[in-house]
Amino acid sequence: DAGVTQSPTHLIKTRGQQVTLRCSPKSGHDTVSWYQQALGQGPQFIFQYYEEEERQRGNFPDRFSGHQFPNYSSELNVNALLLGDSALYLCASSWTDREAFFGQGTRLTVV
Amino acid sequence: AQSVTQPDIHITVSEGASLELRCNYSYGATPYLFWYVQSPGQGLQLLLKYFSGDTLVQGIKGFEAEFKRSQSSFNLRKPSVHWSDAAEYFCAVGALGRGKLQFGAGTQVVVTP
């Protein structure tokens, strides 16, 4: 079992650009959640997908959007990047009433 | 509204000594509580979880946590720390499965020889 996998591991983008991060959930999991972890802080919930729809959303602007595919994998898109979007982006997968498992994260640096 | 407070930003402990990390939560319904550990630049690894039942839960790597409803606390303990326990520890509250997690700000643990 490969667990939760995220790609890429590191990414450098320029302000104003757009970025797409990818996540493959743990085998058997159908729910994917995305979190943003700024340096020195705890993870903050961005949104959650299951059945290919956004089900819950945290306090993030519309520049943050996502998608879930029929195979349960997911993408996080961020438009019009700001310096403040620099963070570790974590994907977590889960299934019904079980705990969430996290991937290793994607480190995004906006310059 | 749900919230998690980890009062200690940074803790230094000697190898072999005991460790206790504090966590206080606020949650409107029955809380599901978690402790995760994060090594530098890495993702989060689940140490243990509390759903219901016995208020003392055992986790991986020799960690345990005690749920005290009257104090809204879920403190993490380890009797004897190892150098490999140096990491950041996060307490979280939320729902299972399709529920979001609310994390505390984390406690950085440094282990000295």
Side-chain angles (χ1 to χ4, degrees):
Chain A
D1 183 1
V4 181
T5 59
Q6 293 186 241
S7 63
T9 54
H10 295 83
L11 203 51
I12 300 175
K13 289 288 189 178
T14 304
R15 275 182 301 174
Q17 285 188 316
Q18 179 264 344
V19 68
T20 297
L21 310 181
R22 295 175 175 82
C23 173
S24 293
K26 184 177 172 65
S27 178
H29 287 185
D30 63 356
T31 301
V32 173
S33 302
W34 287 92
Y35 292 80
Q36 180 195 66
Q37 186 180 18
L39 201 61
Q41 297 182 23
Q44 298 291 319
F45 177 76
I46 302 174
F47 44 52
Q48 181 182 84
Y49 278 83
Y50 69 91
E51 295 183 340
E52 301 179 49
E53 291 191 16
E54 183 182 296
R55 299 293 181 170
Q56 296 187 66
R57 190 178 182 92
N59 188 26
F60 280 81
D62 291 345
R63 298 187 297 108
F64 290 77
S65 63
H67 188 78
Q68 185 178 38
F69 299 93
N71 67 353
Y72 307 122
S73 67
S74 176
E75 288 182 349
L76 164 65
N77 300 292
V78 186
N79 295 321
L81 284 167
L82 304 174
L83 295 179
D85 295 331
S86 295
L88 181 67
Y89 288 85
L90 295 164
C91 170
S93 74
S94 56
W95 180 75
T96 58
D97 62 348
R98 305 309 301 171
E99 63 271 23
F101 288 82
F102 283 80
Q104 295 296 92
T106 294
R107 172 70 63 186
L108 172 64
T109 302
V110 182
V111 297
Chain B
Q2 57 192 50
S3 66
V4 178
T5 301
Q6 294 181 245
D8 304 305
I9 297 173
H10 187 275
I11 285 180
T12 299
V13 59
S14 299
E15 191 167 15
S18 64
L19 174 69
E20 181 168 12
L21 304 183
R22 296 182 291 164
C23 173
N24 294 98
Y25 68 90
S26 173
Y27 196 69
T30 301
Y32 296 107
L33 296 156
F34 309 85
W35 275 99
Y36 286 87
V37 61
Q38 185 177 40
S39 297
Q42 300 297 308
L44 301 174
Q45 182 183 23
L46 181 67
L47 285 175
L48 46 76
K49 57 189 181 286
Y50 173 77
F51 295 163
S52 64
D54 193 349
T55 57
L56 185 63
V57 293
Q58 303 296 321
I60 62 171
K61 305 185 179 186
F63 285 93
E64 65 178 25
E66 185 171 13
F67 170 61
K68 293 185 177 180
R69 185 184 299 274
S70 61
Q71 298 178 20
S72 297
S73 69
F74 188 56
N75 294 348
L76 180 71
R77 298 193 293 256
K78 185 169 184 177
S80 176
V81 299
H82 186 262
W83 62 267
S84 60
D85 293 324
E88 186 140 27
Y89 292 79
F90 293 95
C91 180
V93 65
L96 297 173
R98 302 192 173 105
K100 70 178 185 179
L101 294 175
Q102 179 75 39
F103 285 86
T107 297
Q108 183 71 45
V109 173
V110 173
V111 180
T112 59

